[in-house]
Amino acid sequence: MKDKSSAGLLGIIALVAAILFFTAKGLFPVLTGILKAVLGIIVAGVIVIVVAVIYFAFRKSDTKQADEEKSKTNVQLSQGRAKLMELRNTGARIKNSDVRKLNEEICKTVDKILSTLKKQPEDIKKLRQFFSYYLPTLTNILKKFAEIEESGVPAENMVQSTINCLGDIKKATEKQYSALFDNDMLDMSVEMEALTIACKRDGLLTDEDFRTAAD
């Protein structure tokens, strides 16, 4: 009797095992598909997070760089306005009408340049030589001429040399203004070298003056 019961129990266990085996085997592709889908979602989520982190890191860097460029531009424009005011104040001290007139004409162009750069700050890099060379050089020439004039009547050759240099600066300034509406950067190294040589030769400026202008 016990043997029959044991045999029956083993038969039931074997049947249940077979059912479970074939059921699991049938469900295996479904479980595999679900696992693949879950892994795909996890991988996609990780990729999205990584891309988002990289994007915001670059965006933060670009924003910081843009703010720095904007701050630098505002400083240069502010310095340009201060230099323009200094030029006009120095020009008001000069008695020679030709020198004073040339300075006023240059100042008008400088004013137009600064007004344009305020609307187009991205173009300020085109006028790096204008800010670093021409404005400081013009200021030094005018100051020296005003000092000589106030100390006594300057020699005729000094007057003519100053007029010639201011004439060259006037042309250069107008060319710098025109550069704002061109696509190419303007390299005026040749004109700068020629003006430097002329100013030194005629005693309008010294090496120290040019070092101060560069600073």
Side-chain angles (χ1 to χ4, degrees):
M1 188 75 176
K2 288 182 179 180
D3 292 338
K4 291 182 178 180
S5 299
S6 298
L9 181 60
L10 288 173
I12 292 171
I13 292 173
L15 179 61
V16 171
I19 293 171
L20 289 174
F21 173 76
F22 286 108
T23 301
K25 187 176 180 181
L27 289 175
F28 183 74
V30 177
L31 293 173
T32 302
I34 293 173
L35 182 59
K36 287 182 179 179
V38 171
L39 288 175
I41 292 171
I42 293 173
V43 171
V46 171
I47 292 173
V48 169
I49 292 172
V50 171
V51 171
V53 169
I54 294 174
Y55 170 77
F56 284 108
F58 275 109
R59 187 176 180 183
K60 184 177 180 181
S61 177
D62 290 342
T63 301
K64 183 180 179 181
Q65 186 176 359
D67 289 342
E68 290 176 353
E69 288 294 328
K70 184 177 179 180
S71 176
K72 187 186 296 184
T73 298
N74 289 336
V75 169
Q76 284 186 299
L77 290 177
S78 178
Q79 290 175 343
R81 284 290 172 191
K83 189 65 70 176
L84 177 59
M85 184 178 295
E86 185 179 8
L87 285 172
R88 283 176 167 156
N89 290 337
T90 304
R93 294 165 48 193
I94 293 173
K95 299 175 183 178
N96 185 280
S97 59
D98 292 329
V99 174
R100 191 171 61 249
K101 182 181 178 182
L102 276 170
N103 181 59
E104 289 171 357
E105 291 173 350
I106 294 172
C107 285
K108 287 179 182 178
T109 306
V110 172
D111 191 24
K112 289 195 292 184
I113 287 173
L114 295 174
S115 297
T116 303
L117 287 177
K118 188 175 182 179
K119 299 174 184 176
Q120 303 169 196
E122 68 279 2
D123 288 336
I124 200 166
K125 59 183 178 294
K126 292 183 179 181
L127 273 76
R128 55 188 176 81
Q129 293 168 331
F130 167 75
F131 282 103
S132 65
Y133 180 83
Y134 286 103
L135 278 185
T137 299
L138 174 60
T139 302
N140 287 336
I141 291 175
L142 283 178
K143 282 183 176 180
K144 182 159 290 189
F145 185 84
E147 290 171 0
I148 293 174
E149 198 177 47
E150 288 168 357
S151 65
V153 180
E156 183 61 32
N157 64 328
M158 178 67 73
V159 175
Q160 191 57 49
S161 297
T162 301
I163 290 173
N164 291 340
C165 283
L166 291 186
D168 291 338
I169 292 175
K170 179 177 179 292
K171 293 176 184 177
T173 305
E174 289 170 350
K175 191 181 289 188
Q176 296 274 301
Y177 177 61
S178 298
L180 289 173
F181 306 99
D182 296 332
N183 294 325
D184 298 330
M185 294 286 287
L186 185 62
D187 186 0
M188 300 188 67
S189 301
V190 175
E191 290 89 339
M192 289 164 58
E193 184 177 356
L195 181 62
T196 300
I197 292 172
C199 288
K200 289 180 180 179
R201 181 194 63 216
D202 297 333
L204 299 178
L205 295 176
T206 63
D207 288 331
E208 183 62 30
D209 293 319
F210 285 106
R211 278 195 292 270
T212 303
D215 296 338

